[in-house]
Amino acid sequence: TFQGQGVLTKVEGHASCWDAGAVLNSGDAFEAHVAFDPATTPSFIFGVTKLSFCNAPTHNTQQPQELLTTLVAANPNGCFLEVLATSGYPRICRLNEEGRVQTSFLDDFGAVFSALTMRCEDGRLTFSSGHRSLAPIVLTPGEEYRPCVLLCSLGASVVVTCVRKRLDQLDRQAETASSERPLKERRLAPAAAFAPYSPSRAPAQWPWRISS
């Protein structure tokens, strides 16, 4: 299986605003993790977005805070979780009747323990941490999805791991050759927000750019 790990860091943008992030090159079936340490991990948002949406003509947002709203609106309900710094409690992101993102705590899930895990396979998305998990979310048939991470605080960093669930033989050979590469860091700024990120492969060029 594909193994990759790296650090995402927000280096520019507005303070306390979800205006920087990355889409991971994972393939259509994957398991992704964001590590959580209550002493060091900042608040982050973890979820999936349609590949067709990212490949669409350039998306421009008039306000930086519209980035999260645009993502939540473009994908099935329940595809994004916000994890709070220090406490580790996750909140689900949904659109309210006014078209704004509203977050709410999850019943009986508790705080994230060591990492938040997201699995996507056979058209279903699940979130889990430790022994706790959420009910699977049914994704739109015929769409491909990729994991994405959003960061809010300037200087914030998270450690991300992504495992592809299915590979053809050429992919396996390529990943084996790159498996010994050291931990890498991806610096995020709004001008390059949502450039695809793969710690074991050179990122491809995506058309999505966020204007701030």
Side-chain angles (χ1 to χ4, degrees):
T1 57
F2 165 81
Q3 298 286 343
Q5 185 179 65
V7 179
L8 301 178
T9 302
K10 178 177 176 178
V11 295
E12 294 181 16
H14 294 73
S16 302
C17 184
W18 301 105
D19 61 354
V23 174
L24 312 185
N25 278 335
S26 63
D28 59 352
F30 59 83
E31 179 174 303
H33 315 265
V34 176
F36 182 79
D37 182 336
T40 60
T41 304
S43 296
F44 64 90
I45 288 178
F46 197 28
V48 297
T49 186
K50 295 175 182 177
L51 184 59
S52 61
F53 180 66
C54 295
N55 283 332
T58 303
H59 297 274
N60 291 317
T61 58
Q62 298 300 317
Q63 299 295 330
Q65 59 267 26
E66 293 179 6
L67 172 57
L68 177 58
T69 302
T70 302
L71 277 171
V72 173
N75 292 284
N77 192 31
C79 283
F80 290 90
L81 293 184
E82 175 190 7
V83 177
L84 300 178
T86 307
S87 69
Y89 282 104
R91 302 192 296 187
I92 193 165
C93 300
R94 295 190 178 98
L95 290 185
N96 60 21
E97 295 179 354
E98 298 176 349
R100 297 180 179 179
V101 175
Q102 183 174 349
T103 59
S104 56
F105 288 103
L106 301 170
D107 295 333
D108 302 322
F109 191 85
V112 169
F113 178 75
S114 74
L116 178 63
T117 297
M118 183 173 62
R119 297 180 181 87
C120 183
E121 194 169 17
D122 299 326
R124 293 178 179 269
L125 176 71
T126 58
F127 290 95
S128 63
S129 182
H131 65 279
R132 302 179 301 274
S133 62
L134 299 179
I137 299 165
V138 178
L139 301 174
T140 305
E143 291 279 1
E144 293 184 45
Y145 288 84
R146 298 294 184 268
C148 65
V149 182
L150 289 176
L151 295 174
C152 178
S153 302
L154 283 172
S157 297
V158 291
V159 177
V160 181
T161 304
C162 193
V163 180
R164 293 176 65 181
K165 305 296 284 186
R166 291 193 293 265
L167 290 174
D168 59 30
Q169 186 174 2
L170 291 178
D171 279 338
R172 291 181 187 278
Q173 292 173 352
E175 298 305 340
T176 299
S178 62
S179 62
E180 296 181 357
R181 296 181 183 178
L183 189 73
K184 295 184 179 180
E185 182 174 11
R186 169 81 174 175
R187 293 159 61 85
L188 303 176
F194 283 84
Y197 165 74
S198 174
S200 64
R201 289 182 175 180
Q205 294 298 317
W206 280 37
W208 196 352
R209 292 295 182 268
I210 308 302
S211 62
S212 55

